[in-house]
Amino acid sequence: MRDACATPGLLSLEDALIKILDALPDAERYEQVSLRQSLGRVLSTNIHSAINVPSFRNSYMDGYALHSDDQDKASLTLIGTSWAGKPYTGKVARGECVRIFTGAYVPDCCDCVAMQENVQRENDYIKITPWPVHHENIRDTADDTAEGQELLAQGTLLGAAEIGLLASCAIVDVSVFQRLTVGFFSTGDELVSMGSKLELGQIYDSNRYTLHALLTEAGITAIDMGVIPDTPEDVENALLSASKHCDAIITSGGVSVGEADFITDVLGKIGRINFWKIAIKPGKPFVFGSVGNALFFGLPGNPVSVAISFQQLLLPAFKKLMGHKKEHSPLTLQATVSQTIYKQPGRTEFQRGIAENINGTLVVNSTGNQGSHVLSSMTKANCLIILEQGSGDIEKGQTVNIQLLGNSL
Ligand code: AMP
Ligand code: MG
């Protein structure tokens, strides 16, 4: 049986993503921020190192710095100590050695460090077994990064590793693309905010919380614009006001074909509809367009559809707008299905799954009820099972593609 919601000619997920990305401008606006403030920001320039790291030859181990071709000597004479931060700068003649600690300067004339576990010391004399080879336990100048070398390229997302690397080269502040400002609101007369008691037919608005979290995780300034009643006038006013101060607007609900679904009508009147509806499940009634200078993403109301369409379509769009260099292509893994997964051909489907490593094989099972209202399925899942548009049921033992879900979607 074919998927009843897969009307012919629906835009595929891939084509929808291409249409969105093609319509977006490249990131241009940038600002200077201090290194500590740069977490989660995207570099707007390439960054080069002005120094070598490390800037001097130093020891990998606690031990003794010496000449590797002194092996014929019965013992070596200890003549000083090179501490981390307090280098030994004197000469070290043949037959001599210096005590040295990890990270300490290796005197120029020494060519190796014997680790202390291999050394027997008596007063100021040492014997070593086994004898170290040339260059053993030495970290060379510029082992990590060389002066003039490109450290990070424009478009790099700054995380802890990148910030640490920049700090090691004393880069005090960086030029990053400006944050995006995204306004979002929910539509639906059934929606009630927390704190009020539910009357018959009402539900709590969860989408605004999900969207706030997703946007914040993506490093975007998220502006919660509340709940808008299901009337064309209210929707129009909200869109016009959001378009004045947001780079993009997200709505949830009201994009379907029901009598209370006004988003597309209003968008057609005051803005531009680029496309409406795509062949994905959940998330079919998705609309992309613009109002004034703001991009517009109209998501369906069902909470799982919101999460999936954000991950598959909005996140790549926002990454492009924020200047990310890397294409948004979540890593796809192959997993073996442990129980039949039911699917009707017609739409690309994202089922919530639980993947496990069973004796070295990646095995996946669905979380159970896949209704797009079942938000608890998102919290049980550690992956999304991606079922291709044309595929039907997947039998136990067949392989499917999965995308792992981390902290963020
Ligand atoms: P709609 O897309 O407006 O037809 O809504 C589809 C389903 O999602 C309905 O069951 C709504 O009650 C539900 N829904 C809409 N908006 C929200 C929201 N903000 N939070 C939770 N559920 C919602
Ligand atoms: Mg609605």
Side-chain angles (χ1 to χ4, degrees), residues 8-333:
L10 271 187
L11 198 60
S12 70
L13 175 67
E14 296 74 24
D15 289 346
L17 191 54
I18 291 170
K19 272 179 179 282
I20 293 175
L21 295 178
D22 281 353
L24 304 181
D26 286 326
E28 274 181 356
R29 291 172 289 145
Y30 58 88
E31 61 182 329
Q32 200 79 359
V33 296
S34 73
L35 192 56
R36 266 192 211 283
Q37 288 172 331
S38 70
L39 181 66
R41 306 296 296 273
V42 179
L43 284 179
S44 66
T45 58
N46 299 333
I47 297 196
H48 295 84
S49 178
I51 59 168
N52 290 320
V53 179
S55 57
F56 58 95
R57 272 190 342 146
N58 65 82
S59 178
Y60 217 121
M61 294 278 175
D62 294 330
Y64 296 82
L66 50 111
H67 299 266
S68 62
D69 47 10
D70 272 350
Q71 193 164 8
D72 54 332
K73 309 278 189 301
S75 64
L76 301 179
T77 311
L78 186 57
I79 57 154
T81 301
S82 196
W83 304 87
K86 276 186 260 160
Y88 180 87
T89 51
K91 262 196 76 65
V92 183
R94 300 295 303 270
E96 294 179 342
C97 67
V98 294
R99 182 79 170 109
I100 196 163
F101 297 101
T102 305
Y105 165 78
V106 176
D108 286 348
C109 45
C110 297
D111 72 331
C112 67
V113 170
M115 62 192 280
Q116 77 185 37
E117 289 84 341
N118 295 342
V119 173
Q120 303 86 52
R121 178 170 166 182
E122 259 194 66
N123 300 320
D124 285 344
Y125 297 94
I126 66 164
K127 290 184 173 162
I128 307 167
T129 347
W131 189 261
V133 296
H134 171 71
H135 201 257
E136 192 164 321
N137 294 323
I138 291 197
R139 305 196 278 214
D140 280 324
T141 304
D143 239 4
D144 188 355
T145 49
E147 182 185 333
Q149 183 186 325
E150 182 177 291
L151 289 173
L152 297 171
Q154 182 198 58
T156 302
L157 175 66
L158 297 174
E162 289 74 19
I163 289 174
L165 176 69
L166 296 175
S168 75
C169 297
I171 310 279
V172 181
D173 43 35
V174 286
S175 180
V176 294
F177 288 116
Q178 274 187 5
R179 275 189 195 283
L180 286 184
T181 300
V182 175
F184 58 96
F185 53 83
S186 298
T187 70
D189 289 341
E190 74 280 33
L191 301 177
V192 171
S193 294
M194 282 188 243
S196 310
K197 200 168 166 301
L198 292 182
E199 302 292 339
L200 181 64
Q202 296 183 325
I203 57 167
Y204 288 118
D205 176 2
S206 60
N207 289 344
R208 273 165 45 237
Y209 288 84
T210 306
L211 283 170
H212 184 268
L214 288 167
L215 290 165
T216 307
E217 271 182 348
I220 293 167
T221 305
I223 303 184
D224 185 340
M225 307 189 68
V227 181
I228 308 296
D230 279 327
T231 74
E233 297 73 31
D234 286 305
V235 170
E236 179 172 334
N237 289 339
L239 286 182
L240 286 174
S241 127
S243 71
K244 297 205 178 79
H245 43 88
C246 295
D247 299 304
I249 307 165
I250 305 174
T251 60
S252 77
V255 282
S256 209
V257 290
E259 313 265 299
D261 294 331
F262 299 112
I263 295 281
T264 41
D265 289 348
V266 173
L267 189 65
K269 182 178 158 207
I270 61 164
R272 203 175 95 80
I273 299 175
N274 189 311
F275 65 79
W276 180 31
K277 294 185 189 166
I278 39 179
I280 66 168
K281 183 180 178 182
K284 176 185 155 194
F286 174 99
V287 59
F288 171 60
S290 56
V291 185
N293 289 328
L295 295 158
F296 177 79
F297 300 93
L299 312 186
N302 276 307
V304 178
S305 313
V306 167
I308 304 274
S309 25
F310 187 94
Q311 186 207 30
Q312 298 298 322
L313 293 159
L314 275 64
L315 201 53
F318 292 146
K319 284 190 167 177
K320 178 171 179 196
L321 290 170
M322 290 189 289
H324 280 248
K325 170 191 59 174
K326 273 195 208 141
E327 291 282 309
H328 175 83
S329 44
L331 182 63
T332 299
L333 303 172

